[in-house]
DNA sequence: CTGTTAGCGCCTTCAG
DNA sequence: CTGAAGGCGCTAACAG
């Protein structure tokens, strides 16, 4: 059927392709009268400029690759949605690439992104290996990471303020007279798990509370692991009266398991989540949690990538720190006494 | 830094660009010895063919646009993940485009997809207007829709078998001796809402059970609306003993509200969901629901779009029907007696 | 201010 | 079976 190109537009508007191009790109030096004529033809004929050709010559695709491990984790789903919004607002597109925990799949995903000449790649909820990062950087593709512990040179590292977030949670519990507090970690292999765990230990030490080894439960940020964590906690002879989770999904799992076992939350156990996903306000009881703004996170990711594309690549690491806020709901309450 | 192109590869391999191109595209007529040489150079130099240039000349971008309203709805998150998987497997990319309920945003999203010359667009969980569809089709972009009631000519319509799915739910409840059964619909403006509702009424008539008008609650597929639906139901003087929901999120909302009001599920009310999202197995009690396979749905969407791109566009509507399966869990039980 | 021209990186006839 | 040449749609010098 029809497949219009610039030349035909130019012909219909009785100008040269150069002028038509300039009109489209709103270059101010073009005669307004001619510009109007060009736009009129574009409207009438329903012309859509070919992004591929544009990208080919300009070198910018206005496209960012997004590597995600689990879209089914609500935190990431909400983050992707937020990112898509800010990107769309500036005419950028998001190219999806799931890693799916399979390294071969990851590699082919990265390859396709480079072949598509993305203007940047963000890897969220997933630790990209250094070799992969180097490949990306060597192709002039800016890379944005989340919570990287020792970021390789040249990347953008966006850190969520776990130190402060976890401290807020711990101090809230301490203010409620909790003395023995547990922590459920994320997947051992992820860097941010270590950061969170240390933040927890620091916060506890800071207020003079020790932590027993068996109060540190290791999970994987899933509902299932939250359920397991609760069972594990209640099989202890000496139990904590409160627990902080590495994310809301874990906390929700604990809530579910408590419900099944007839354990009353928050009376028998106070629970604090992390992230503040939408679901957190709908659980029974609603979840006290540390909020991480997806909108802010998305904005930082987007702007830092756009920025990296316009400024010359450097080997230094750009760090951004994202604040957190405690959201009080109904899954925490005053500690009555130690439970045994 | 480095930005390799075909010519440089050809030069290093001491062949012409044509031969290099043929080698890359695995055209069998090329001398295996030369091909090997080309591939070796590609490996050594780390060459990534430029997809934009390829697309420019071939006319195919190997990219599908995906229009989604709510990525935060787990059903769609799981569907997108599934779709990304099958697409990646065949070297296709997914270009995200949220509609965000704002028609201006939708329009600019569609525009960007056409400009990017996507090979097809899938609109899921969202009714694309006919003018928009016509624009897409007039640009030779195949369009895949979900549960369209009267699909415009030329589109692909993928129907979930609501008729059968809802019937399975109703018959399950009837087998448990439920006589008065309610239904919570989705957003009134969506086509599939009407389809589901009619399927429900048909299924009820089929087994000789009438339906009271006040047992039909209208919702919007959110947790919140599920909570509202339960309150609405329990404010009736004469109540149903069971209810079917248009999706799992609604059912989960009812569960949450029941918990808050001290209503016991399934004893005081049996609840059946729809979709079988991952979360459904973790609720308390776990949710009896009608499963819609995301993997199958994704496969059908993908293959039908690929297919539409290779066969000449026709004005007929391609229909696909996706089966459903009842999954029995713990949110339904025998009706003891009518509750009043 | 406008038009002509030369590529961007690749594929694909068309001759050898 | 291989290579030279033209062109996909667009932008950016460079002349007028």
């Amino acid at each position: 059927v029809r497949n219009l190109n610039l030349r035909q537009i130019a012909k219909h508007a009785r100008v040269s392709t150069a002028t038509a191009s300039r009109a489209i790109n709103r270059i101010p030096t073009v005669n307004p009268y001619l510009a109007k004529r060009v736009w009129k033809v574009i409207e009438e004929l329903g012309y859509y400029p070919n992004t591929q050709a544009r990208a080919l010559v300009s070198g910018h695709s206005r496209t960012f690759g997004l590597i995600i491990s689990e879209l089914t984790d609500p935190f990431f789903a909400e983050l992707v949605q937020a990112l898509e919004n800010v990107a769309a607002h500036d005419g950028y597109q998001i190219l999806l690439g799931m890693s799916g925990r399979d390294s071969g799949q990851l590699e082919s995903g990265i390859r396709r992104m480079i072949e598509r000449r993305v203007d940047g790649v963000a890897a969220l909820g997933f630790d990209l290996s250094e070799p992969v990062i180097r490949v990306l950087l060597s192709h002039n593709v800016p890379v944005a990471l989340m919570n990287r512990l020792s970021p390789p040179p040249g990347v953008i590292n966006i850190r969520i303020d776990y130190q402060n977030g976890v401290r807020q949670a711990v101090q809230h519990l301490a203010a409620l007279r909790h003395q023995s507090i547990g922590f459920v970690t994320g997947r051992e292999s992820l860097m941010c798990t270590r950061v969170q765990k240390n933040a927890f230990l620091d916060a506890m030490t800071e207020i003079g509370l020790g932590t027993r080894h068996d109060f540190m439960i290791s999970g994987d940020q899933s509902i299932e692991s939250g359920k397991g964590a609760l069972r594990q906690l209640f099989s202890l002879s000496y139990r904590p009266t409160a627990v902080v989770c590495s994310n809301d999904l874990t906390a929700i799992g604990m809530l579910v398991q408590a419900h099944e076992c007839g354990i009353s939350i928050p009376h028998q156990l106070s629970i604090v989540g992390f992230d503040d996903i939408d679901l957190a306000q709908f659980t029974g009881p609603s979840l006290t949690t540390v909020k991480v703004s997806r909108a802010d996170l998305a904005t930082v990711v987007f702007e830092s990538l756009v920025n990296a594309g316009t400024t010359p690549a450097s080997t230094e690491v750009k760090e951004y720190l994202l604040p957190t806020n405690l959201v009080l709901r109904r899954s925490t309450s005053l500690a009555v006494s130690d439970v045994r």
Side-chain angles (χ1 to χ4, degrees), chain A:
Chain A
V1 195
R2 87 165 166 302
N3 217 340
L4 294 167
N5 62 19
L6 228 209
R7 191 150 69 251
Q8 315 192 33
I9 298 302
K11 191 181 301 175
H12 279 272
R14 280 164 296 129
V15 296
S16 70
T17 59
T19 302
S21 171
R22 285 191 278 253
I24 287 174
N25 293 307
R26 301 226 138 80
I27 292 187
T29 64
V30 66
N31 181 331
Y33 178 66
L34 290 185
K36 195 141 292 178
R37 223 161 65 194
V38 172
W39 278 108
K40 187 152 155 274
V41 172
I42 288 176
E43 288 290 316
E44 283 173 4
L45 269 51
Y47 167 70
Y48 288 70
N50 185 326
T51 307
Q52 328 247 40
R54 264 180 205 241
L56 190 57
V57 47
S58 75
H60 299 296
S61 61
R62 291 185 86 79
T63 287
F64 288 131
L66 185 55
I67 310 279
I68 283 274
S69 62
E70 288 286 341
L71 200 52
T72 49
D73 181 327
F75 177 76
F76 291 109
E78 294 168 20
L79 179 53
V80 171
Q81 182 146 330
L83 187 55
E84 212 282 334
N85 279 345
V86 298
H89 183 77
D90 280 26
Y92 277 77
Q93 219 42 81
I94 297 296
L95 224 47
L96 224 49
M98 250 52 108
S99 74
R101 203 148 340 292
D102 169 353
S103 96
Q105 213 172 323
L106 201 229
E107 207 154 327
S108 93
I110 295 285
R111 163 166 293 276
R112 288 202 310 281
M113 298 211 166
I114 296 178
E115 292 182 350
R116 290 214 137 81
R117 300 297 190 263
V118 294
D119 292 340
V121 165
L124 309 176
F126 183 81
D127 285 337
L128 233 43
S129 75
E130 297 217 10
V132 170
I133 293 174
R134 269 196 300 273
V135 171
L136 252 4
L137 291 179
S138 79
H139 284 269
N140 299 320
V141 179
V143 176
L145 270 22
M146 240 174 74
N147 302 316
R148 191 77 175 196
L149 215 47
S150 49
V155 305
I156 296 156
N157 191 31
I158 297 163
R159 283 178 38 223
I160 292 167
D161 196 347
Y162 285 127
Q163 194 72 30
N164 186 47
V166 173
R167 180 198 280 129
Q168 287 171 301
V170 167
Q171 296 201 343
H172 164 62
L173 291 172
L176 291 174
R177 311 269 163 70
H178 289 276
Q179 310 260 15
S180 45
I181 305 176
F183 187 76
V184 186
T185 73
R187 206 168 285 112
E188 216 57 69
S189 60
L190 284 177
M191 296 199 170
C192 70
T193 295
R194 238 184 308 165
V195 178
Q196 273 186 323
K197 199 195 228 168
N198 289 336
F200 175 74
L201 294 175
D202 288 356
M204 290 294 280
T205 311
E206 202 176 274
I207 56 173
L209 292 180
T211 311
R212 293 171 53 107
H213 203 74
D214 52 0
F215 287 2
M216 303 295 289
I217 313 281
S218 79
D220 66 1
Q221 308 223 115
S222 69
I223 290 185
E224 197 104 48
S225 89
K227 295 181 69 171
L230 190 92
R231 285 193 300 267
Q232 202 171 327
L233 233 43
F234 271 78
S235 70
L236 298 176
S237 55
Y238 179 73
R239 294 196 297 267
T241 58
V243 63
V244 178
C245 299
S246 74
N247 75 339
D248 285 347
L249 238 35
T250 304
I252 289 170
M254 297 190 79
L255 250 32
V256 168
Q257 184 69 59
H259 186 245
E260 280 177 22
C261 299
I263 295 167
S264 162
I265 307 290
H267 307 103
Q268 290 179 257
L269 181 73
S270 283
I271 299 180
V272 181
F274 210 103
D275 289 347
D276 191 24
I277 60 179
D278 289 346
L279 206 57
Q281 54 189 308
F282 295 121
T283 52
S286 60
L287 202 60
T288 292
T289 188
V290 179
K291 180 183 176 97
V292 176
S293 163
R294 263 78 74 206
D296 292 350
L297 186 45
T299 304
V300 172
V301 168
F302 178 73
E303 289 184 347
S304 63
L305 282 179
V306 169
N307 228 298
T310 54
T311 56
S314 85
T315 76
E316 80 187 277
V317 173
K318 285 240 186 301
E319 289 257 6
Y320 294 83
L321 189 66
L322 222 84
T324 57
N325 295 302
L326 186 66
V327 178
L328 297 179
R329 295 212 186 86
R330 330 217 48 139
S331 65
T332 51
S333 69
L334 214 58
V336 180
S337 67
D338 274 24
V339 182
R340 65 183 54 256

